[in-house]
Amino acid sequence: MSEGFGKSEWMEKAEPFGYFRISTEKQSVEDKKQDDPRKKVTIKRQIKEVQDLLKRQGLPPLKPSNIYAEIASGSKGDRTQWRKLREAALLHDGRAFIVVKDPSRWARNVDAAVNAWTPLKERDIPVYAIGTGIQTGTYADKRPSENFFFLLNSGFAAQTSEIQSEKAIAGVKRQREEGAFAAKGRSVYPFALKDPYDAYFENKHLSSISKSRHAQAMQNATMPNGVKKSAATRLIDDMVKIEVALTNAEVDQYRAFRKRLAERIKRIGYDSWAASGNKEGKLDYRSNALYRMSGNYLTNPKKFPMPSEEFLDEVEKDFAQFLSDKDKKRRGKRRL
């Protein structure tokens, strides 16, 4: 009998097996420098998101030996790690389930998706897309509605991959045409003890007492290299406006973008906003270019589109062409 959408209660005592994938063309600049799929930044981010969701839902964490990752197209049915994952799950002694971030990570081809999960269903092993909260179910637990949505997501990904590619190209063109932010936009605090926006939401209840209490709590949570009370007060005012202008999903998207940008800046090791707290303290103009080309969205996410990861890859790689005239003059002919 079906339990409804989401996880099954028995999963709390079962063994999870995780599958993580990115397509070759979706790799970032940093990803391409790393041969081991598990060490690629995008894959590591997927793994962390899934591990966090497992913990939040009261499910067991993935053991390192149960993590399977690869660089491959989701439309292919002969992926090496995909096959190894299924074999390991089928050989496991006891209840098990496969966890992916979303259905498109499992497959971007309906036929391949169904063929792959058929032997799993026969062994009562569902595929759980934890980011969307839907699973394939098993022959004992049919879940027809979830099955439909799982297939719909996989099929939609396959049908729209070409459209997405065209949109990505159009997006880069649009972002170029719209130009960059006149200044640096706003900091994403990559070296803060805690992300100030996480601190904002975690302490939001204090605003009902006073904005000053809220701002002080944010300073306490984020320093060093975070927001001081005065900056936290401005951030609170900004976020109130943003929350009014955006839907909850758009706010989550905005926060996720900031985190991804912070990861990029942190890898570079230089935050052009920071007076201190830089990894090496060296001026690195890649940071300046990334902030400049993200500034419009960071400042006004209602009006301006979110820069794509493909576009930011280009900015990071060919940063010199995205610098302000002032930075170009300061940089001269230096390499970085």
Side-chain angles (χ1 to χ4, degrees):
M1 183 177 177
S2 175
E3 299 178 37
F5 280 51
K7 71 175 186 179
S8 298
E9 293 302 319
W10 60 262
M11 288 180 176
E12 295 176 4
K13 297 182 180 180
E15 185 85 358
F17 291 79
Y19 179 70
F20 305 89
R21 178 190 64 78
I22 53 173
S23 300
T24 304
E25 67 273 12
K26 295 295 183 182
Q27 294 185 82
S28 68
V29 173
E30 290 298 318
D31 284 335
K32 291 175 182 177
K33 296 177 182 177
Q34 180 59 251
D35 293 329
D36 184 350
R38 288 198 196 193
K39 294 182 180 179
K40 291 180 182 288
V41 173
T42 306
I43 293 288
K44 288 169 66 177
R45 186 187 302 130
Q46 282 185 33
I47 293 172
K48 184 180 186 305
E49 288 175 0
V50 168
Q51 292 280 42
D52 288 347
L53 286 168
L54 286 168
K55 182 178 180 180
R56 195 178 307 164
Q57 295 185 23
L59 299 175
L62 286 166
K63 297 175 182 175
S65 59
N66 288 349
I67 294 175
Y68 296 80
E70 62 189 331
I71 311 303
S73 170
S75 62
K76 293 182 178 180
D78 59 347
R79 285 168 270 152
T80 303
Q81 294 299 310
W82 201 40
R83 293 199 311 269
K84 288 183 177 180
L85 166 91
R86 284 179 288 154
E87 183 180 356
L90 288 167
L91 290 174
H92 177 70
D93 184 17
R95 292 304 301 269
F97 65 95
I98 291 172
V99 61
V100 293
K101 181 184 173 185
D102 59 68
S104 68
R105 295 307 92 199
W106 175 249
R108 295 174 71 88
N109 177 298
V110 172
D111 291 335
V114 173
N115 289 336
W117 77 42
T118 296
L120 295 169
K121 279 192 168 190
E122 291 174 350
R123 286 284 307 279
D124 288 331
I125 302 172
V127 181
Y128 182 31
I130 196 167
T132 51
I134 55 177
Q135 59 163 295
T136 60
T138 66
Y139 286 156
D141 181 14
K142 305 272 184 203
R143 296 183 178 250
S145 296
E146 283 183 88
N147 229 358
F148 170 74
F149 284 115
F150 202 104
L151 282 172
L152 184 66
N153 276 270
S154 298
F156 184 77
Q159 294 287 330
T160 59
S161 59
E162 187 174 332
I163 296 172
Q164 288 173 340
S165 178
E166 292 174 357
K167 283 186 175 180
I169 294 171
V172 169
K173 182 179 179 182
R174 182 189 67 245
Q175 286 159 354
R176 283 180 181 278
E177 290 173 348
E178 288 179 347
F181 194 67
K184 287 186 292 186
R186 62 181 63 193
S187 178
V188 291
Y189 302 94
F191 298 100
L193 184 63
K194 177 188 281 288
D195 181 353
Y197 285 69
D198 286 346
Y200 167 83
F201 283 98
E202 289 172 7
N203 295 282
K204 194 175 177 181
H205 61 284
L206 294 175
S207 281
S208 61
I209 302 173
S210 74
K211 186 192 296 183
S212 178
R213 289 271 303 268
H214 191 179
Q216 184 63 56
M218 289 172 63
Q219 174 179 304
N220 295 343
T222 64
M223 293 298 286
N225 308 319
V227 286
K228 293 184 178 179
K229 188 175 180 180
S230 57
T233 301
R234 292 192 296 272
L235 189 153
I236 291 170
D237 291 338
D238 288 342
M239 277 306 300
V240 168
K241 295 175 184 176
I242 287 173
E243 287 187 278
V244 169
L246 303 182
T247 65
N248 289 339
E250 288 170 335
V251 170
D252 290 343
Q253 186 180 55
Y254 177 74
R255 293 175 65 190
F257 173 81
R258 291 186 67 267
K259 287 180 182 294
R260 292 196 299 272
L261 182 59
E263 288 178 8
R264 283 182 184 266
I265 303 293
K266 197 169 185 178
R267 289 199 306 272
I268 290 170
Y270 174 79
D271 180 11
S272 55
W273 274 92
S276 61
N278 289 314
K279 184 178 178 183
E280 298 180 11
K282 286 181 175 182
L283 178 62
D284 192 316
Y285 284 99
R286 289 176 294 176
S287 171
N288 296 44
L290 287 166
Y291 268 128
R292 183 168 182 260
M293 300 310 295
S294 302
N296 277 329
Y297 177 70
L298 288 174
T299 305
N300 193 341
K302 180 65 176 178
K303 180 179 179 181
F304 295 98
M306 180 180 69
S308 67
E309 293 302 299
E310 290 84 356
F311 178 66
L312 294 185
D313 286 343
E314 182 183 352
V315 172
E316 189 175 340
K317 181 180 178 181
D318 301 319
F319 65 92
Q321 66 174 307
F322 296 101
L323 294 174
S324 65
D325 290 340
K326 182 179 179 180
D327 274 342
K328 287 178 181 176
K329 186 175 181 180
R330 289 172 63 199
R331 176 176 175 268
K333 296 182 179 181
R334 281 177 288 178
R335 188 174 179 182
L336 291 178

